[in-house]
Amino acid sequence: MLPPEPHKRAVPPSMDELFQRFLQHSALHPELQESTDSEVELHEMVGEFRADTSVLWNEARIVFGLMGTPSERIGAPPDWKAFTQFASASVAPPLAAGFVPQRVRNLECWLEPDSQRLVDASEPVPPELPRLTKWLDKQAISDQFASRMIAAGLLCNLGRSSQAIALLREMQPTVTPAEQAIWQNQLGAAYWMAGDHEAAVQEWLALPDSGVKSYNLGLAAFLRGHKEEARPLLMRSVELLPESSGWSHLAELLIVVSE
């Protein structure tokens, strides 16, 4: 899959308008919905907004296409619907395999003056998802690169970032040159979720230019209180990310808040 063509936009609209676009993008862009090997149903996310779980699964895999690395076709795991229904209080997720931008539930936390509190905000413990846990254990030892990347991302979302880091380090000797950027970005995301923000930024700085790199460095700068540094990075990510993706809308929201 080739990376999407860059696009440019005018000055972002208001925060309220952008947040509504962020919430509604999956309903407005049915072309993003692809069938998976699992049953797809609708679920409620925020208020009356309903998003399709297949769209969220595509968001969790979009990084492969964005970074120009072909990936195997992987169906959504068991308990995916239950996982996406979990009302996370995530401040803002990094763009990596196994993460979805719709984990953000409100914007109020972005307006707090204590940026360090945002960075250190703890994730709530998700409910027990035994079928998903079993699937993750299987994917962690898979010979498919994309499956292991997604497994590492989901482990981070389930509060098991140290296990994700161990998995990524273990597979490092087998990573091919074509897979290197995806792997390094994933390691950065795992470090970020584990609270090692300096290590995360160092991994992301070493990546080749892409919307993924710009978004993650912009997110890191924003959450660490460096809004002037964050703004051009996020604007660059908006130019490179597909307009229909929630990742692009989330970057636009961060731009508005950083002004």
Side-chain angles (χ1 to χ4, degrees), residues 142-180:
S142 168
D143 58 359
Q144 294 186 336
F145 174 78
S147 296
R148 299 182 85 178
M149 293 298 97
I150 291 172
L154 292 178
L155 285 170
C156 290
N157 279 285
L158 293 172
R160 298 162 61 183
S161 299
S162 60
Q163 185 177 345
I165 293 171
L167 166 62
L168 292 165
R169 287 175 173 168
E170 178 184 343
M171 65 182 295
Q172 183 175 6
T174 66
V175 174
T176 68
E179 298 166 341
Q180 176 65 27

Side-chain angles (χ1 to χ4, degrees), residues 120 182-183 226 232:
D120 295 337
I182 292 283
W183 175 86
H226 308 309

Side-chain angles (χ1 to χ4, degrees), residues 91-92 104 107-112 118 222 250 253-254 257:
V91 172
V104 175
L107 305 180
E108 293 178 2
C109 59
W110 293 356
L111 304 177
E112 293 291 332
L118 296 180
F222 176 86
L250 189 54
L253 285 166
L254 288 165
V257 177

